Amino acid sequence: MDEEDEYIENTWTYISLCGEPTLYDGLRFAKDLILANICLRFIIQYISMPHNVRHSLSLVFGSFLLYFNIGWAIIWIYGLTIGTYVLIICLSIFTKKCRGFFISFCVILFLLSCELYLINPKTWQQIRGVQMIVAMKVISVAIELDRNLFKQMLNPLEYGGYILCPANCILGPWISFHTYDQYLHVKFLTKRWVQIILFNLFISMFCLVLSNCIVPWYIDDNVSKWLTAYRDAQAFRMSHYFVSSMSIVSMISAGFGLTNDCHSDLQVTKPFFIELPRSLVQVVIFWNIPMHQWLKNYVFKTCQPYGQFMSILTTYAVSSLLHGFNFQFSAVLLSIGTFSYVEYNFRYKVALALEVCCLANPCVKQCEHKYKKNSLLAVFVNTLFSVLTIIHLAYLGVMFEASFSVQESGYSFYHTINKWENLNYFSHGLAAFMYLIYLMM
């Protein structure tokens, strides 16, 4: 009994020593997001003002928030914002069709130049996420101009207010200009607003403590390498849920993602479908829903005439380039694209051969399979694929565990290869095997 009491006491001591500073840092970070966005919401809520003034306030509050978080590195954000606006104006003089392609190429080239030549690695790691959000917004504006979704080119205040909006300039999520403009005019006054903010703040802090303190503790280093890989990958996923929930806090604080009766329709991720996945395809969709929508609308659909595999490959290539010229991110994203493509087609063949409801995505309309989703065979097959997906997630997520110095400067080629080599390249071998079986079926 004494040993048990001592174990419990040591456990709570560890959790408190880890949890208190973790919560302190998390809440201190949340404070700036919440204050900046609540101030913006109160001003546009209670003061009647012209259209352009609203965008100007968004630009000003977003600039202050960025400066307090990344300091003078904000000049790189301004550089990308101003440079792309001028470039869009210049391109619009000569063409009305190819602006999306040229802007996409120039934005990705700028990001790669910043990472490789212009900015030191430590500073780049601090602003990489912000630059990615800016890049997604810029590219979406250029492509929507090509699709004639704007009556006229955005003026500088509209463009700047959208790009640097405090609701999502730090953590995201991406929203289109039309959605942003609509949210600026939503008005509400209810206690439910505060309740939604506090609820999502609690979720984000809970995920942060899980990522930093609980998950690394409940599985020891002395267990099998696959359990260790699962632990490290799950800790990384929990940190992603923290960022996603905090991004909702930021959006809701500004009144974004709310209807006039103060109901939220904002979703960034779905942890349940990731921790207990049906397929890798669902993990890709629900990992970052706004990012998935952006890639689907602006990349995948554009490449569809060139075939499904080329569309998927291009989509994941663009995603990896937006994340930076980083072998780790590129390898993971391209591997996920390949694995999900193989799994999708393999499960389609299995469903046809066995007449069982086991597609990568569940049947939306009336299921025409002989063995429905609740049949014993369907449950068995889908459970088997779910287990394989969890193994894939452990395999792909394991290299995101590293020392703080490595995280600051970025992950190297050798770091990624060593992590996968330790797991015998299992998922890549399994994907190749499944693809061979698919070809023979």
Side-chain angles (χ1 to χ4, degrees), residues 73-120:
I74 193 176
I75 61 174
W76 296 103
I77 311 300
Y78 283 149
L80 181 57
T81 303
I82 296 171
T84 51
Y85 185 77
V86 173
L87 185 57
I88 291 174
I89 294 294
C90 294
L91 287 172
S92 298
I93 298 174
F94 300 101
T95 180
K96 303 294 183 182
K97 294 182 179 181
C98 300
R99 288 168 292 187
F101 173 78
F102 284 115
I103 290 297
S104 300
F105 177 79
C106 292
V107 165
I108 291 176
L109 183 63
F110 176 79
L111 295 182
L112 296 181
S113 300
C114 286
E115 182 175 7
L116 297 176
Y117 304 110
L118 302 177
I119 306 177
N120 68 71

Side-chain angles (χ1 to χ4, degrees), residues 341-383:
Y341 173 81
V342 171
E343 180 198 31
Y344 181 90
N345 288 285
F346 181 76
R347 292 179 73 155
Y348 177 77
K349 286 287 186 74
V350 172
L352 283 178
L354 301 180
E355 298 184 64
V356 62
C357 184
C358 66
L359 297 173
N361 292 312
C363 296
V364 178
K365 299 180 180 179
Q366 184 177 359
C367 181
E368 297 180 356
H369 296 101
K370 179 179 178 181
Y371 299 99
K372 309 299 182 185
K373 64 179 181 179
N374 293 324
S375 66
L376 185 61
L377 181 59
V379 171
F380 173 77
V381 173
N382 286 317
T383 300

Side-chain angles (χ1 to χ4, degrees), residues 271-278 282 386 390:
F272 178 81
F273 293 98
I274 299 171
E275 296 302 313
L276 297 174
R278 177 187 177 91
Q282 282 201 335
S386 293
I390 291 172

Side-chain angles (χ1 to χ4, degrees), residues 244-283:
S244 299
S245 299
M246 188 61 72
S247 69
I248 294 178
V249 170
S250 180
M251 290 281 286
I252 299 297
S253 297
F256 286 28
L258 296 173
T259 59
N260 283 319
D261 56 354
C262 203
H263 282 82
S264 175
D265 56 358
L266 190 63
Q267 284 188 317
V268 176
T269 189
K270 292 186 177 182
F272 178 81
F273 293 98
I274 299 171
E275 296 302 313
L276 297 174
R278 177 187 177 91
S279 65
L280 264 181
V281 174
Q282 282 201 335
V283 172

